Amino acid sequence: MTDPKPADWSRRLTDYKRPHLGRSIFELALTGTALIALWALGWVAFHAGLWWLALLIALPSAAFLVRLFMIQHDCGHGSFFEAKAANDWTGRIIGLFTLTPYDYWRRTHAMHHATSGNLDRRGLGVIEMLTVEEYLALPPLKRLGYRLYRNPAVMFGLGPTFVFFLQQRIPIGLMNEGWRPWVSTLGNTAVVAAALGLMMWLLGVAPVILVNFTTMVVAATIGVWLFFVQHQFEGVAWARNKDWKRDDAALHGSSHYDLPQPLRWLTANIGIHHVHHLSSRIPFYRLPQVLKDHPELHGVSRIGLWESFRNARLALWDEAGQRLVSFREIRSLPRAA
């Protein structure tokens, strides 16, 4: 099937935007309760001498923490509750669990949505990506730095821990935007530090590090992977500002990461990312209904779970070929020769 005209989507998706209060409360309560229960089980296991079980419990805990982050994500778009205050305060509280300063993140994420797929407006809230020409113009040391940054061991290993534990402690990119970004980042850090101190005093340092730290590291890695594969995949479209159109960028610059259940549920349908970029005000639990009602969207920018892992090698945008390429592939490009 061919894509419907982009101009049609604003009208077609209007009816899906309204959140259902009962459903939102249920999703929040279920996700938060499951996460806290798993953490409690991990602490009990550790104190019973079953440290290996506590470590294993951190894995499902990470999955529910990712889901909690996706609820925070919906709050940032004003799509989880109808009332702005309910979205904002829910997002701020969840940010204490996800180590994500809500107001600062909401600003940078809004920039991401406003510029996604635009080669001339790459900035905050994105994974850095260079074109082949930009990369080849770099001096050797900076080329090495970019190669290290895009190395999967850094991108999905060290990188997520650095972003959530260190980078988000200060308002990178918004330092000169007044006091609000500073209050968001420093306030989040102060409350998280106090909460961790209290938990360590009550439960002990070791179980908190083993259970909670491990949970956060795994969740951060999953989160960065999801964000990467949503916008950097084989077949993705990027355009210069003069040719960039929001709905085209949403449909072809964002993937439909068609995950199997229960991964789809655990990631709060964030894989239906092309629809999310078409209309970010749609609550996550209504995204599957959009695909059901508009089957023509199902195959647009679709990638499956196993094929998605091939995308980790992609690192540069080839403007001539209009595709993402790996470092190895640029050797065969005419301009590289």
Side-chain angles (χ1 to χ4, degrees):
M1 294 184 182
T2 58
D3 302 338
K5 293 180 180 179
D8 293 339
W9 286 116
S10 294
R11 174 180 55 82
R12 291 187 178 199
L13 301 181
T14 298
D15 292 341
Y16 301 94
K17 293 180 181 180
R18 188 170 183 177
H20 186 280
L21 179 60
R23 177 68 182 274
S24 293
I25 292 174
F26 171 77
E27 296 287 354
L28 177 61
L30 176 63
T31 306
T33 300
L35 175 62
I36 293 172
L38 284 167
W39 275 348
L41 187 60
W43 299 329
V44 170
F46 180 88
H47 285 290
L50 303 173
W51 64 267
W52 54 270
L53 180 58
L55 190 61
L56 285 177
I57 289 171
L59 299 180
S61 298
F64 278 97
L65 186 59
V66 169
R67 197 170 200 271
L68 195 63
F69 179 87
M70 297 310 169
I71 293 176
Q72 181 184 16
H73 167 263
D74 268 20
C75 290
H77 285 292
S79 63
F80 199 65
F81 296 111
E82 287 194 80
K84 183 180 185 300
N87 282 307
D88 289 345
W89 283 105
T90 300
R92 289 176 186 128
I93 293 170
I94 293 176
L96 302 177
F97 290 82
T98 62
L99 304 187
T100 302
Y102 170 77
D103 295 276
Y104 166 71
W105 176 87
R106 183 182 60 179
R107 285 275 307 279
T108 59
H109 192 65
M111 295 176 187
H112 159 66
H113 269 258
T115 61
S116 180
N118 190 324
L119 282 170
D120 292 321
R121 299 182 66 192
R122 288 165 283 169
L124 289 176
V126 298
I127 291 174
E128 183 181 352
M129 184 196 71
L130 298 179
T131 68
V132 173
E133 288 78 6
E134 289 167 344
Y135 172 74
L136 293 176
L138 291 176
L141 191 59
K142 288 189 175 182
R143 281 197 203 181
L144 176 61
Y146 183 73
R147 289 185 78 111
L148 289 174
Y149 169 76
R150 298 292 301 212
N151 187 289
V154 175
M155 180 73 71
F156 310 115
L158 299 175
T161 301
F162 171 78
V163 169
F164 282 87
F165 284 87
L166 296 175
Q167 183 174 309
Q168 293 190 149
R169 300 311 100 211
I170 55 175
I172 302 293
L174 299 180
M175 291 185 176
N176 298 320
E177 298 293 321
W179 56 270
R180 286 183 176 83
W182 287 98
V183 168
S184 178
T185 52
L186 297 182
N188 178 271
T189 300
V191 177
V192 167
L196 284 175
L198 180 61
M199 288 169 59
M200 289 179 178
W201 180 64
L202 292 173
L203 302 168
V205 174
V208 171
I209 291 177
L210 185 68
V211 176
N212 299 85
F213 177 79
T214 304
T215 296
M216 189 62 217
V217 169
V218 175
T221 300
I222 295 171
V224 169
W225 168 254
L226 287 172
F227 189 72
F228 175 88
V229 80
Q230 286 160 2
H231 296 287
Q232 306 206 20
F233 56 94
E234 291 183 345
V236 69
W238 285 74
R240 289 293 177 182
N241 195 54
K242 63 184 178 63
D243 300 316
W244 185 87
K245 294 181 177 62
R246 192 194 73 89
D247 284 3
D248 284 342
L251 282 172
H252 304 292
S254 306
S255 67
H256 173 202
Y257 195 16
D258 196 3
L259 294 170
Q261 292 289 18
L263 296 181
R264 192 181 311 158
W265 184 87
L266 287 169
T267 56
N269 301 316
I270 197 63
I272 310 175
H273 209 64
H274 59 328
V275 177
H276 169 67
H277 268 258
L278 279 173
S279 183
S280 61
R281 292 297 297 271
I282 299 175
F284 75 82
Y285 48 78
R286 304 198 70 181
L287 290 172
Q289 189 63 42
V290 174
L291 291 186
K292 184 177 180 180
D293 294 344
H294 301 281
E296 65 270 29
L297 288 174
H298 189 275
V300 178
S301 301
R302 181 192 172 277
I303 55 175
L305 176 61
W306 299 114
E307 65 186 283
S308 70
F309 297 119
R310 296 198 303 265
N311 296 321
R313 64 186 176 81
L314 302 176
L316 297 161
W317 178 253
D318 174 25
E319 286 197 78
Q322 288 292 292
R323 65 190 182 101
L324 283 171
V325 297
S326 66
F327 289 113
R328 181 175 296 180
E329 287 176 285
I330 66 173
R331 300 172 185 172
S332 62
L333 299 177
R335 71 191 56 70

